Amino acid sequence: MAASTAQVPQGSGQPDKNANGTPDTSNDDKDWPGKMTASYQDATSPEAVTGRDIMRSEHLLEDLADGITDSLKLPYDIPLIGKQCDTANAYWSPDDKSITICYEDAADALDIYTKAGDDNPRASAVNSEIATFYHETGHMVIDLYDLPATGKEEDVADQLAAYILLAPGPDGKIDPESVQAVKDFAREFKGYSDQKGGEIDEGQLSDVHSLDLARMYNLECWVYGADPVGNADLVKNGSLPEDRADGCEDEYNKLSSSWDTLLGPYLK
């Protein structure tokens, strides 16, 4: 069946972020011609070389870009760039309309999980970069679709990462590898806190990002809330306090329902 190209009636109230008269709920490819494209820039510093190798050996950026192209309606091409930044970082650029994952971010993650004693710190680092990418995707969709965000946008972007990775598949089950990605992402914030000596100063309190340990507990709460039985280990091992865990299922359900509503018109 041919996709509908009907015009949105004036005053219909249907979202039309492209302002071209075709509702965002339309599946017309002409309305959403974009795709996400992956590229790797050169690396020279030891940290950047390490991070680039982690990403390229797993075809990480290519797979992530293809996943977004297959699942989200994009108004134009969105570059996903791996590059040397000389600092551990990742960001969405509202000016360039691109996502950048710095090689040093993956190298820093590898160091954190190595110090944590992971059996396979490289796999944990890949997981953290997957979740980091979806965090930046949160910023991207807020910008592209002009979505409302109440509270800190950084917290909302963490929610989007959890929403995507903890979404159940056609069989109604959550992919165990995606669950582990969120768990590893949460542990990375514990590593960041440890890097700072566990101290909290005014700069951290006033930052656009919530405190590292707060972000860790939020992510663990959403993992537990998405599947309390399957992720009971978070409470049993003492990582997630029982007082917080008691409300996590309701918290996650509200998070998931909210993102269903916000992203619904833009999902393929």
Side-chain angles (χ1 to χ4, degrees), residues 130-208:
I130 290 172
T132 294
F133 166 77
Y134 286 121
H135 170 93
E136 299 308 328
T137 299
H139 292 298
M140 180 188 80
V141 298
I142 289 171
D143 183 23
L144 288 185
Y145 309 134
D146 194 24
L147 300 181
T150 58
K152 288 184 177 181
E153 186 174 316
E154 295 295 340
D155 291 340
V156 176
D158 280 350
Q159 290 179 4
L160 189 278
Y163 169 77
I164 291 178
L165 289 168
L166 299 175
D171 61 356
K173 298 180 180 179
I174 305 171
D175 178 16
E177 292 184 0
S178 295
V179 171
Q180 190 59 49
V182 183
K183 287 182 175 180
D184 287 338
F185 191 42
R187 290 193 302 119
E188 186 173 27
F189 290 109
K190 176 63 166 65
Y192 291 153
S193 179
D194 290 345
Q195 286 177 346
K196 299 166 186 171
E199 297 182 359
I200 299 174
D201 57 28
E202 289 189 8
Q204 295 176 58
L205 290 171
S206 63
D207 195 75
V208 295

Side-chain angles (χ1 to χ4, degrees), residues 33-247:
K35 61 183 181 296
M36 183 168 279
T37 60
S39 65
Y40 298 87
Q41 296 185 5
D42 291 338
T44 57
S45 71
E47 294 82 7
V49 169
T50 295
R52 187 175 188 265
D53 177 64
I54 291 171
M55 293 184 192
R56 290 208 69 175
S57 64
E58 298 293 331
H59 306 284
L60 183 61
L61 300 189
E62 298 93 328
D63 290 346
L64 292 171
D66 288 346
I68 291 297
T69 298
D70 291 343
S71 60
L72 283 179
K73 300 174 181 178
L74 300 176
Y76 36 73
D77 288 355
I78 304 291
L80 171 57
I81 305 164
K83 65 179 290 188
Q84 177 173 326
C85 305
D86 297 324
T87 187
N89 197 15
Y91 55 91
W92 160 255
S93 171
D95 294 327
D96 298 334
K97 304 299 183 188
S98 65
I99 291 177
T100 296
I101 308 294
C102 300
Y103 297 141
E104 295 85 355
D105 200 65
D108 190 41
L110 179 64
D111 182 62
I112 285 173
Y113 298 118
T114 299
K115 290 178 178 176
D118 284 29
D119 291 336
N120 189 344
R122 191 180 181 95
S124 300
V126 170
N127 278 341
S128 73
E129 294 312 303
I130 290 172
T132 294
F133 166 77
Y134 286 121
H135 170 93
E136 299 308 328
T137 299
H139 292 298
M140 180 188 80
V141 298
I142 289 171
D143 183 23
L144 288 185
Y145 309 134
D146 194 24
L147 300 181
T150 58
K152 288 184 177 181
E153 186 174 316
E154 295 295 340
D155 291 340
V156 176
D158 280 350
Q159 290 179 4
L160 189 278
Y163 169 77
I164 291 178
L165 289 168
L166 299 175
D171 61 356
K173 298 180 180 179
I174 305 171
D175 178 16
E177 292 184 0
S178 295
V179 171
Q180 190 59 49
V182 183
K183 287 182 175 180
D184 287 338
F185 191 42
R187 290 193 302 119
E188 186 173 27
F189 290 109
K190 176 63 166 65
Y192 291 153
S193 179
D194 290 345
Q195 286 177 346
K196 299 166 186 171
E199 297 182 359
I200 299 174
D201 57 28
E202 289 189 8
Q204 295 176 58
L205 290 171
S206 63
D207 195 75
V208 295
H209 299 86
S210 292
L211 296 174
D212 294 325
L213 292 183
R215 296 178 74 180
M216 179 194 77
Y217 287 126
N218 283 342
L219 290 162
E220 290 183 342
C221 178
W222 301 331
V223 170
Y224 178 77
D227 183 4
V229 175
N231 298 305
D233 61 296
L234 289 171
V235 178
K236 291 179 180 178
N237 65 20
S239 182
L240 179 65
E242 289 188 18
D243 286 348
R244 178 67 185 275
D246 288 343

